[in-house]
Amino acid sequence: MPKKHAVRLLTAVIIAGSGLTACSQTNSDTPEAKPSSPAAAASTPAAGAQPTPSATPSVVVNGKQKPADLPAGLPLPQGELTSVTGTTGTYVLTYTTSDATSALAAYATALESAGYELDRSPSVVHAVKANVNVMVTKTPAALQVALVAE
């Protein structure tokens, strides 16, 4: 995988992680400390509601549905989607699974079949196709899929 793509993907993951940290902070000066995440509340429209177009990208924090703007033809891993974080074109999706090792191998095969160039290790898969960079990380009970579509 070209180093430039890996650096961009890593940067996107760090930015997404920073956004999670910032959104989950609380103000301890008030007696009723609440998470300061107005973007999270606004990011999930009511059932049947149409999203309102805006000039700024929407931010998703701890969403539970796959984003509508995922790259066409991007396969997704088997398992239950438990978390989505990110913004337009840059996301981290977490899928729980009972066998993360098998799920990672199957997902790597699916990415390869979809035309992605892969760089594999036992717990991480990097995949690149055109302007889409994907990094899949295995944990004991989940796969985390970080992606950047430029």
Side-chain angles (χ1 to χ4, degrees):
M1 170 188 305
K3 192 173 203 170
K4 179 174 98 174
H5 294 297
V7 169
R8 286 183 183 168
L9 184 58
L10 182 58
T11 301
V13 171
I14 290 169
I15 290 170
S18 298
L20 279 177
T21 303
C23 289
S24 65
Q25 293 177 350
T26 59
N27 182 354
S28 59
D29 295 338
T30 61
E32 298 175 12
K34 295 180 184 176
S36 58
S37 180
S43 67
T44 308
Q50 295 296 320
T52 305
S54 67
T56 58
S58 61
V59 176
V60 178
V61 178
N62 277 336
K64 305 254 183 191
Q65 295 179 354
K66 73 176 187 166
D69 65 334
L70 290 178
L74 174 70
L76 296 173
Q78 296 293 320
E80 178 187 354
L81 179 61
T82 57
S83 176
V84 177
T85 301
T87 188
T88 304
T90 305
Y91 295 102
V92 176
L93 296 91
T94 303
Y95 289 83
T96 58
T97 180
S98 60
D99 184 357
T101 301
S102 294
L104 180 64
Y107 188 45
T109 300
L111 286 166
E112 199 164 42
S113 295
Y116 285 80
E117 180 183 323
L118 283 116
D119 181 15
R120 300 179 192 209
S121 76
S123 60
V124 177
V125 171
H126 292 128
V128 177
K129 179 180 177 184
N131 64 342
V132 179
N133 297 290
V134 181
M135 182 173 69
V136 187
T137 307
K138 176 185 78 156
T139 67
L143 293 183
Q144 287 194 321
V145 179
L147 69 100
V148 175
E150 300 171 348

